[in-house]
Amino acid sequence: MTVPSSALPPSPTPDTTRARILTEAARLFVASGYHGVSMREVAEAVGVTKPALYHHYEDKEALFLAMLEGTLAGLSRLVAHAGTQSGVRAQLETLVGDLLASAPEQRVGLQLAGELRHVSPGRRAAFESEYRRVWMGGLTGLIEGAAARGELRGDLPPAMLTRALLALMYPLVMGAPPADPQGTARALLSVYLDGATAR
């Protein structure tokens, strides 16, 4: 089994000022946490005035959520690309290959998600609901399709199979990168699709 290098379609090119704002803000938030960063610091890092920054984002929460929404949009593209493949093995190899290719961005997204607790309850709930719909729902859709085709076990709920897949995939994007990302990905997919018992 080979985990393909990413052939993921490129994401839409954003407005360059907004892209710079998101990049610099992500760097600052990861380094200092949500409460450790001010809009003034973000503006200085980007090289724009505070009023220019507020022209793009109404407040710090909106900026922070825009970064997380960018991560979620990337995850949505991963699921959509995997869904174009034929068969669950090809779908999951594509998904994991794309996930590896985007691992640095996903690590930043996961680090930022840890700060979500500082966002107002309404905005946090809205983002979490969208996350469940896009990422969890997208993955579950792939798993449901595979189970319906007889490619995965039908005696376990698709939601449980999705959680098992996520548990195996998280080491690819959490903490320090594995020494052999491709080998790790192949091993994890083999455990998921073929089992861990001796053959």
Side-chain angles (χ1 to χ4, degrees):
M1 171 183 63
T2 58
V3 178
S5 59
S6 177
L8 194 62
S11 56
T13 304
D15 168 80
T16 54
T17 301
R18 287 178 79 88
R20 282 196 344 264
I21 291 169
L22 292 174
T23 298
E24 289 301 322
R27 182 181 61 76
L28 291 168
F29 279 122
V30 166
S32 303
Y34 183 82
H35 287 305
V37 176
S38 69
M39 291 294 268
R40 177 189 55 76
E41 290 172 303
V42 174
E44 288 175 0
V46 176
V48 298
T49 63
K50 266 181 71 175
L53 180 58
Y54 280 107
H55 169 74
H56 291 283
Y57 299 100
E58 64 180 293
D59 56 26
K60 187 164 78 168
E61 270 194 10
L63 171 58
F64 183 75
L65 287 169
M67 291 183 293
L68 288 177
E69 286 160 2
T71 298
L72 190 54
L75 293 174
S76 178
R77 286 192 297 275
L78 264 61
V79 172
H81 187 222
T84 66
Q85 308 303 308
S86 179
V88 69
R89 190 171 294 273
Q91 288 175 339
L92 295 184
E93 287 177 356
T94 297
L95 180 73
V96 170
D98 289 346
L99 191 63
L100 278 176
S102 65
E105 292 82 9
Q106 299 307 329
R107 280 192 182 85
V108 169
L110 286 167
Q111 288 175 290
L112 292 174
E115 296 286 304
L116 193 59
R117 66 188 181 279
H118 301 301
V119 173
S120 63
R123 282 175 157 174
R124 182 172 64 244
F127 176 80
E128 289 171 345
S129 174
E130 188 66 0
Y131 171 84
R132 284 190 297 272
R133 185 188 70 77
V134 170
W135 181 232
M136 299 296 291
L139 289 178
T140 301
L142 291 177
I143 299 302
E144 285 173 341
R149 294 188 302 269
E151 296 178 286
L152 291 175
R153 292 174 58 169
D155 62 324
L156 294 174
M160 184 181 295
L161 292 173
T162 300
R163 290 191 180 282
L165 176 63
L166 285 172
L168 288 169
M169 288 192 328
Y170 275 137
L172 299 175
V173 293
M174 289 185 72
D180 178 12
Q182 292 287 335
T184 302
R186 283 191 297 272
L188 294 175
L189 270 182
S190 177
V191 168
Y192 184 77
L193 293 171
D194 306 317
T197 55
R199 291 188 271 168

